Amino acid sequence: MNIYVVYDSEDGHTEALATAIAQGARSVGGAKVHFHHVERADVHVLDRMDAIIWGCPGHFGTISAGLKTWIDKLGYLWANGKLVDKIGAVFCTTATEHGGVEATLLNLITPMLHQGMIIAGLPATVPENALYGSYYGVGITCPVESSPDDPPNLPNEDELALGRALGRRVAELTAKFASGQGG
């Protein structure tokens, strides 16, 4: 089962979360995770994937320009129904509380719905989600550093646990669908 994790990251915050998501997916037997920054990600391999997880920093409640540009290249896949029934999930980071986490997650889900993908979020039964989660995917806050010279405020262990939980959930769902046990 092939799972594609693509992310945009400017200061390492979103990359750290993406790495945790990939780790969670890899923890499920049979999962082969393809992990790429948006600048190296290839839209031409997505039709061979079983699941796609994408994420970015939230910019004023919406998708970063880098990931949006990449998503805009998916037109031929949409025209040919190549992503229909693939599992999809999303994640984001923002710099401030109430900085548009849920709006960004919903904006990330919309292109997946247009592609006919099956969206996997984190239900309340996932223990990590009760701590600090969202049903739409994983969205976390990494406060802006006081100075450009300060080290980045990377996600903490609880937030990375959410990422691993999302990756694991996507891989488990993908395995069920691949074996004909979906639903």
Side-chain angles (χ1 to χ4, degrees), residues 72-150:
D72 286 346
K73 296 176 185 175
L74 304 180
Y76 82 96
L77 293 166
W78 169 82
N80 294 293
K82 296 293 188 179
L83 302 184
V84 171
D85 292 339
K86 295 190 185 287
I87 304 292
V90 299
F91 62 97
C92 73
T93 60
T94 61
T96 60
E97 289 185 39
H98 312 293
V101 167
E102 287 191 348
T104 302
L105 293 172
L106 290 169
N107 279 306
L108 287 165
I109 288 170
T110 301
M112 289 182 167
L113 292 170
H114 281 255
Q115 293 284 349
M117 296 174 69
I118 301 165
I119 308 302
L122 282 178
T125 56
V126 174
E128 294 87 349
N129 202 35
L131 175 67
Y132 180 78
S134 168
Y135 302 112
Y136 310 115
V138 174
I140 61 170
T141 302
C142 299
V144 174
E145 292 76 17
S146 300
S147 161
D149 298 327
D150 289 346

Side-chain angles (χ1 to χ4, degrees), residues 2 5 7 10 21 23 28-29 37 48 76 78 83 92 96 114 117 135 150-151 156 167-168 175 182:
N2 287 295
V5 178
Y7 66 94
E10 295 151 1
I21 290 166
Q23 290 169 346
V28 175
H37 186 276
R48 297 190 300 267
Y76 82 96
W78 169 82
L83 302 184
C92 73
T96 60
H114 281 255
M117 296 174 69
Y135 302 112
D150 289 346
N156 65 40
R168 186 172 52 253

Side-chain angles (χ1 to χ4, degrees), residues 22-104:
Q23 290 169 346
R26 285 186 184 110
S27 74
V28 175
K32 181 177 180 186
V33 177
H34 307 264
F35 182 79
H36 296 284
H37 186 276
V38 70
E39 291 175 356
R40 293 185 322 262
D42 184 0
V43 299
H44 301 289
V45 300
L46 294 181
D47 61 337
R48 297 190 300 267
M49 298 298 128
D50 300 297
I52 303 162
I53 307 170
W54 62 48
C56 64
H59 289 194
F60 310 106
T62 194
I63 305 171
S64 69
L67 186 60
K68 178 68 169 88
T69 298
W70 185 80
I71 289 170
D72 286 346
K73 296 176 185 175
L74 304 180
Y76 82 96
L77 293 166
W78 169 82
N80 294 293
K82 296 293 188 179
L83 302 184
V84 171
D85 292 339
K86 295 190 185 287
I87 304 292
V90 299
F91 62 97
C92 73
T93 60
T94 61
T96 60
E97 289 185 39
H98 312 293
V101 167
E102 287 191 348
T104 302

